[in-house]
Amino acid sequence: MNHSSVNVSTIERFVTATNGASLLVCLAGAILVFAFRLQRKVVYRLALYQVLASLLLATIEVFQLLFINYAENPRVYGRVCIAIGWLLLYGLWMKLLFTTWLTLHLFCFGVLHKNLKRYEALYVVSSLLVPGVIGAVPLITGTYALDPTHTLCYINSVSYHHTAVTERLALWMVPAMVALLACTVAMVFLGASLTRQACNMTRYEPLADDNQFIKAIKQLIPLTAFPILSFIFMIPFLVFNVYSFISFPQMALTITAFMSTSLWSMTSGLTLIVHITVARCVLKKKRYLRAAAQAQFIEAVSE
């Protein structure tokens, strides 16, 4: 067995394990939302969009394993590769747009006191349609191809083709880095703003009910994890893209890039699961305390 086959085999094992776990976690998070009928609340719908996008992305990455046998039938696998490359870019952009819209929603609500709930349809439609248009550009120029490791169908810039390099930069790397960095900065600013608001709620006279505002903020705070984690876990994938322009990516960097996108999906599911679990525990505790207070009141009256 040669060195390259060992590398491919190692990458295959890592991809299978991480993406398999991501699929299960995201699926579990989505099932919990529908099981408790939480999709009726905008907070959980925003989180659900993230998880569904992550579920799609993890599924697409699992299908990348098909191309381990690319050399056996290049004609058939080549056509499938083009479709998988388009789906991968589509999934990445869908996740990015849902993250960006979520960040904008949180920022406007927490800092500007504007609820963008009525624009939810715009969130969904734009996040579903725009990625398809962007993904069609490499489809037209014919730059979707399999990388030399036979582990990734994407915009292939290994050959240093000017069009492919430009497309990788313009269609994903630059906008993704700018958007995720902006989202992270917005979440840091939001955290500072909410801390200041919590210390001095008397400034917000336009709010009809401060208690309702605080309650809504507590529900939205866990969602700030989505943009921050997105930025953290997309850095290795972006580094992988940059390095591929300079030299052939090493196995360790390739594995890290694959695992980072898988963990990006997995953490979305975990964040939603933790959010639901904590919310259910708090709800049960409130019900218990309410029932205990009522029992004490009844007991006091009966005496």
Side-chain angles (χ1 to χ4, degrees):
M1 183 179 293
N2 58 32
H3 182 67
S4 62
S5 63
V6 173
N7 286 356
V8 170
S9 178
T10 303
I11 294 172
E12 180 182 5
R13 288 196 296 270
F14 274 101
V15 170
T16 303
T18 54
N19 281 296
S22 298
L23 278 170
L24 292 176
V25 171
C26 291
L27 187 59
I31 289 173
L32 283 177
V33 171
F34 290 106
F36 294 116
R37 298 180 180 179
L38 299 174
Q39 71 275 13
R40 300 174 181 177
K41 300 180 180 180
V42 65
V43 173
Y44 291 102
R45 286 201 301 273
L46 291 173
L48 181 62
Y49 299 147
Q50 290 282 322
V51 171
L52 292 178
S54 298
L55 186 62
L56 174 63
L57 192 56
T59 304
I60 294 167
E61 291 182 348
V62 167
F63 276 103
Q64 295 280 358
L65 296 176
L66 292 172
F67 303 105
I68 296 297
N69 301 316
Y70 183 89
E72 295 179 4
N73 197 337
R75 179 178 297 181
V76 175
Y77 280 108
R79 294 173 181 174
V80 177
C81 179
I82 293 173
I84 295 296
W86 180 85
L87 285 172
L88 178 59
L89 187 58
Y90 180 92
L92 288 169
W93 264 100
M94 184 170 67
K95 185 86 166 71
L96 178 65
L97 287 174
F98 274 130
T99 302
T100 304
W101 279 118
L102 173 63
T103 304
L104 180 64
H105 184 93
L106 294 173
F107 186 83
C108 289
F109 187 87
V111 178
L112 305 178
H113 305 150
K114 293 183 178 180
N115 193 339
L116 302 183
K117 179 181 178 180
R118 62 182 180 275
Y119 297 111
E120 184 180 353
L122 178 61
Y123 299 172
V124 177
V125 173
S126 61
S127 298
L128 293 177
L129 295 183
V130 172
V133 175
I134 295 174
V137 176
L139 197 62
I140 296 172
T141 57
T143 49
Y144 284 127
L146 190 66
D147 75 330
T149 65
H150 287 192
T151 55
L152 179 66
C153 269
Y154 189 55
I155 304 172
N156 189 1
S157 62
V158 175
S159 61
Y160 302 98
H161 190 275
H162 177 72
T163 302
V165 172
T166 303
E167 286 178 357
R168 272 207 180 189
L169 288 170
L171 297 181
W172 176 244
M173 289 178 56
V174 174
M177 201 63 207
V178 171
L180 291 176
L181 181 60
C183 289
T184 303
V185 172
M187 290 302 95
V188 172
F189 189 88
L190 174 62
S193 178
L194 293 179
T195 302
R196 186 174 65 253
Q197 293 179 39
C199 294
N200 188 11
M201 289 298 297
T202 56
R203 292 184 181 182
Y204 303 100
E205 296 177 0
L207 295 173
D209 189 345
D210 286 346
N211 291 330
Q212 286 297 107
F213 177 74
I214 295 175
K215 182 179 178 180
I217 286 297
K218 287 181 178 179
Q219 291 179 338
L220 292 174
I221 282 296
L223 298 182
T224 59
F226 286 108
I228 296 173
L229 291 173
S230 295
F231 176 72
I232 293 173
F233 287 112
M234 274 309 298
I235 290 177
F237 186 72
L238 294 171
V239 171
F240 169 80
N241 278 269
V242 172
Y243 192 84
S244 67
F245 295 148
I246 304 171
S247 177
F248 183 80
Q250 300 298 315
M251 182 184 68
L253 182 59
T254 304
I255 292 175
T256 303
F258 273 109
M259 288 189 66
S260 68
T261 53
S262 300
L263 290 173
W264 185 21
S265 299
M266 186 187 299
T267 52
S268 296
L270 286 174
T271 301
L272 180 57
I273 291 173
V274 171
H275 188 183
I276 293 174
T277 303
V278 173
R280 298 295 295 181
C281 289
V282 171
L283 181 61
K284 287 182 178 180
K285 182 179 179 180
K286 288 182 178 179
R287 288 176 178 174
Y288 173 79
L289 294 176
R290 189 181 300 114
Q294 290 176 351
Q296 290 179 355
F297 175 75
I298 294 172
E299 183 179 353
V301 171
S302 62
E303 290 178 356

